[in-house]
Amino acid sequence: MRLLLMSHGNMAVETLASAEMILGHIDNMKAIGLQPNQGPEDLQAEAEQFINDNPNNEKTMVAVDLLGGTPSNVVVRLMAEHPELEVVSGLSLPMVIGFANQVMMGMEVSKQSVIDEAQNGIIDVNAKLNG
């Protein structure tokens, strides 16, 4: 499985950079961010390039930062052309690391497992320390 990270600004790019600082280079993953001087069509063109450049015909998942923002609206349009896309919102570092670990271990990655990784990454540290 491949993963495309999309966000406003550099969040996706820096999330991938942080994951690679922890895990090393991650294959089959790309991050793109909508910059202030770009429009939705620029982001869509970059996303389409990743989606279409898939010589092994692997399943593609897209993680966006925020439901309802430009990156997610672009992906919704792409889903019309590519109904096989798996899409989640709420991009986070735990989500990316969990995805990469599952791929590296040869596990089948599901959309639900990626969502679970993101949700399980939210921890009340005070309660954890005082519990």
Side-chain angles (χ1 to χ4, degrees), residues 22-96:
I22 295 165
L23 299 173
H25 177 73
I26 303 171
D27 290 327
N28 293 330
M29 195 176 298
K30 180 176 175 132
I32 57 177
L34 179 66
Q35 300 304 313
N37 62 337
Q38 293 180 313
E41 63 283 349
D42 299 309
L43 194 63
Q44 184 164 339
E46 283 188 79
E48 284 178 324
Q49 183 178 9
F50 179 77
I51 292 166
N52 292 328
D53 184 18
N54 189 1
N56 297 326
N57 214 20
E58 294 178 75
K59 188 177 234 179
T60 300
M61 183 177 294
V62 182
V64 297
D65 58 352
L66 177 71
L67 183 62
T70 300
S72 71
N73 292 339
V74 165
V75 172
V76 167
R77 283 194 299 274
L78 288 170
M79 288 172 71
E81 299 170 33
H82 304 277
E84 72 283 357
L85 286 177
E86 298 283 346
V87 181
V88 297
S89 71
L91 172 62
S92 70
L93 185 57
M95 174 191 287
V96 173

Side-chain angles (χ1 to χ4, degrees), residues 3-23:
L3 181 62
L4 175 62
L5 311 176
M6 295 175 62
S7 69
H8 295 85
N10 294 323
M11 179 187 175
V13 173
E14 294 302 329
T15 300
L16 178 54
S18 295
E20 288 185 328
M21 181 171 36
I22 295 165
L23 299 173

